[in-house]
Amino acid sequence: MSRSPGRKQENHKISRELFVLTYGALVAQLCKDYEKDEDVNACLDRMGYSIGIRLIDDFLARSAVKKCRSYSETADMIAQVAFKMYLGVTPSVSCNSATGNEFSLILDKNPLVDFVEELPAERASLCYCNLLCGVIRGALEMVHLAAEVSFLQDRLKGDAVTEIGITFLRKPEDRKHRR
């Protein structure tokens, strides 16, 4: 069937609470399936990576952003546009290196942990929101930016804030095409 010319495309959104509860159920099931926290963390990262490589197309289409010229612009775009668009929060960004390739996204409020008070003692090394690291890494890879992404601080582990570290692995290449 074709769409009528004057009809807008509908954006279907699920409730934030449903998403957060579903995510919590996913993590709980992974904890039952895997004995080691490292295995759960790896699985969440893989899932996030798969989401990120698909989500970047939606992000680029819906946000109409221009090409970022530096790692700093890229980190700002992730925080100010992507996080706001998909999670409804805007983390602050800080540069962690003199070379300008390491950044932190600092979340005062992490929406994925709205219904989580603390991690069980036997799951102390679980990175509950590791899915976010995979999403960021997968999306960046699809725009040809290799990066390491990991949690540096986590409120669920007693830290004051939640901090995601992004380290860009290669220097941006100046791509000049001859015509």
Side-chain angles (χ1 to χ4, degrees):
M1 296 181 73
S2 65
R3 260 189 276 167
S4 59
R7 189 172 168 201
K8 285 174 130 180
Q9 182 179 0
E10 294 179 28
N11 271 341
H12 296 285
K13 291 187 178 186
I14 64 169
S15 98
R16 179 176 167 164
E17 289 84 16
L18 176 61
F19 173 69
V20 172
L21 289 170
T22 303
Y23 182 74
L26 169 73
V27 175
Q29 186 60 48
L30 289 174
C31 288
K32 288 178 184 176
D33 293 346
Y34 297 101
E35 290 180 22
K36 296 179 182 176
D37 291 344
E38 295 76 23
D39 295 335
V40 175
N41 294 342
C43 188
L44 288 169
D45 184 73
R46 281 192 311 274
M47 287 178 177
Y49 179 82
S50 295
I51 292 168
I53 61 175
R54 289 167 181 78
L55 194 63
I56 190 68
D57 289 331
D58 179 67
F59 172 76
L60 293 172
R62 289 179 52 204
S63 66
V65 296
K66 303 225 185 292
K67 181 179 178 180
C68 296
R69 301 268 181 230
S70 67
Y71 289 143
S72 176
E73 280 183 40
T74 303
D76 286 339
M77 190 66 58
I78 292 168
Q80 295 172 6
V81 181
F83 266 77
K84 182 71 173 170
M85 184 184 295
Y86 294 107
L87 294 175
V89 296
T90 305
S92 57
V93 179
S94 66
C95 183
N96 296 338
S97 71
T99 57
N101 70 324
E102 294 179 24
F103 295 88
S104 285
L105 304 177
I106 301 167
L107 293 131
D108 293 324
K109 181 164 175 32
N110 182 350
L112 290 181
V113 299
D114 281 351
F115 300 110
V116 181
E117 291 182 20
E118 61 183 32
L119 295 176
E122 65 273 7
R123 292 290 183 177
S125 60
L126 176 67
C127 191
Y128 183 83
C129 296
N130 211 38
L131 183 96
L132 293 176
C133 294
V135 170
I136 294 168
R137 189 171 52 83
L140 287 172
E141 193 169 296
M142 293 309 292
V143 292
H144 307 289
L145 291 173
E148 287 180 1
V149 185
S150 62
F151 274 88
L152 304 176
Q153 295 186 71
D154 193 344
R155 275 201 168 150
L156 289 179
K157 295 182 179 182
D159 296 319
V161 294
T162 299
E163 180 179 2
I164 301 172
I166 302 173
T167 303
F168 293 98
L169 300 176
R170 289 190 288 260
K171 263 193 145 175
E173 299 174 21
D174 293 333
R175 296 182 184 193
K176 296 181 182 175
H177 301 286
R178 294 182 187 198
R179 293 183 185 213

